Amino acid sequence: MVGSAQARKTFKDSEGLRAVLNRMGSADADEWQSDREVADLMTYAASRYAALARKHGLDPWEAAGFAFEAMRATSARRADDPWAIVTRAVQVTCIAEERARGLLCSVHQARRPRYSVFHDAERFSDRENALPEYHPAFRAQPADQEDPEPSGAIESAVEDAIALFALVGWPADTARAGVEYVCARLTDATSRPAAFEQLRRDQAARALLDLPQTSWRAMLQALLGCPDPVQEHTAAGRGVLLRLLVGDTLEALLHDDRLLAGLLDNLPCRRP
């Protein structure tokens, strides 16, 4: 009992965890399974990540399994703070597991922004209102009525916004996934400021896009505009998407020094 208590005290801090991982680094699966200290470590991990697991509809021991996989990676042993690496891995995997259930796809696919930007699958019968009332894709426009925002103009604005981020140095896949995610959420919001606030607090999106908080906020502010009402009718207040829809060109945006500075100062760093 004394040895078990000592083990728990040891691996609760990062250096103690590193010592356990270094000791077990070259061990095979059977040795991990039979080691008493590892068993205590997994029990502690299940307790440590229980709240995080329940938040995403998982069992604490599932989170402990995610932690185990992270601990076996060389990067965890070599990190400045092994527990930080393990916690981040568990968090991202829990989010991916939850998204995979909602999207009815594999966890591997749910980790990819090209799939994760979509909303959870739902039955038509789950809604009280008729399908055409809440989804414009199922509406037919009268022949004598012009569409105030042709789909071609919207698609062009989205592609130009993606090109803007890529041209200033943002990774192309991150730019596309981020812009498409923001556009998808914008269609459900009551206003651009409301969409900005909702997306600013969307930690799951930021984790799946693998963006730091500063880069995520810079992307939102560039696309949707500054939420400050004082700047509502300025270029900074309108945002890139609205400016492109009302007639601004990509070339004009590339000459907006203030816009470019905000994106360049918050370039996301590629993790190895």
Side-chain angles (χ1 to χ4, degrees):
M1 291 296 291
V2 175
S4 179
Q6 184 63 37
R8 284 194 293 272
K9 288 181 181 179
T10 299
F11 52 61
K12 281 185 179 181
D13 62 75
S14 282
E15 289 308 314
L17 176 61
R18 192 195 313 279
V20 176
L21 298 184
N22 283 334
R23 180 174 64 81
M24 300 299 296
S26 59
D28 57 28
D30 291 337
E31 291 180 79
W32 278 85
Q33 187 174 5
S34 61
D35 190 279
R36 180 57 189 169
E37 189 175 16
V38 172
D40 291 337
L41 174 59
M42 290 298 99
T43 301
Y44 173 69
S47 173
R48 182 183 180 111
Y49 299 121
L52 179 61
R54 294 190 185 100
K55 177 182 176 181
H56 296 285
L58 301 170
D59 184 89
W61 281 102
E62 290 182 272
F66 305 152
F68 175 75
E69 293 299 325
M71 289 174 187
R72 297 194 67 184
T74 305
S75 57
R77 299 198 301 270
R78 296 178 178 175
D80 292 337
D81 186 348
W83 271 121
I85 295 295
V86 173
T87 298
R88 177 62 175 166
V90 172
Q91 180 187 38
V92 170
T93 308
C94 285
I95 291 171
E97 285 278 350
E98 183 179 27
R99 294 294 290 134
R101 289 200 306 272
L103 294 169
L104 306 180
C105 67
S106 68
V107 177
H108 176 70
Q109 288 178 309
R111 289 177 180 270
R112 296 176 175 272
R114 61 181 294 189
Y115 300 108
S116 62
V117 295
F118 298 111
H119 63 72
D120 288 357
E122 55 182 311
R123 295 182 179 88
F124 291 158
S125 59
D126 289 342
R127 300 228 178 198
E128 295 181 359
N129 299 328
L131 184 61
E133 293 181 17
Y134 68 85
H135 203 303
F138 294 93
R139 298 175 191 163
Q141 194 76 11
D144 59 346
Q145 182 178 345
E146 293 186 1
D147 189 349
E149 288 188 356
S151 59
I154 296 174
E155 291 175 4
S156 177
V158 171
E159 290 300 322
D160 283 348
I162 294 169
L164 173 67
F165 279 84
L167 287 170
V168 297
W170 284 56
D173 56 343
T174 300
R176 177 167 295 279
V179 172
E180 290 179 349
Y181 186 90
V182 170
C183 290
R185 292 295 174 264
L186 185 59
T187 59
D188 298 328
T190 56
S191 65
R192 282 186 296 117
F196 184 98
E197 286 304 311
Q198 180 184 7
L199 286 162
R200 182 178 63 82
R201 296 190 295 268
D202 194 340
Q203 299 298 324
R206 189 165 67 83
L208 287 166
L209 293 169
D210 199 20
L211 286 174
Q213 180 67 40
T214 53
S215 298
W216 178 231
R217 186 179 179 89
M219 172 174 271
L220 295 179
Q221 192 158 322
L223 291 172
L224 302 178
C226 177
D228 186 349
V230 175
Q231 301 193 50
E232 181 178 357
H233 300 293
T234 67
R238 290 192 181 103
V240 164
L241 292 172
L242 179 57
R243 290 174 65 182
L244 288 167
L245 283 172
V246 298
D248 277 8
T249 63
L250 178 57
E251 183 179 358
L253 296 178
L254 289 170
H255 285 87
D256 187 331
D257 293 338
R258 180 176 179 179
L259 171 64
L260 297 184
L263 296 178
L264 288 169
D265 291 344
N266 295 283
L267 281 173
C269 296
R270 278 289 196 187
R271 290 191 174 92

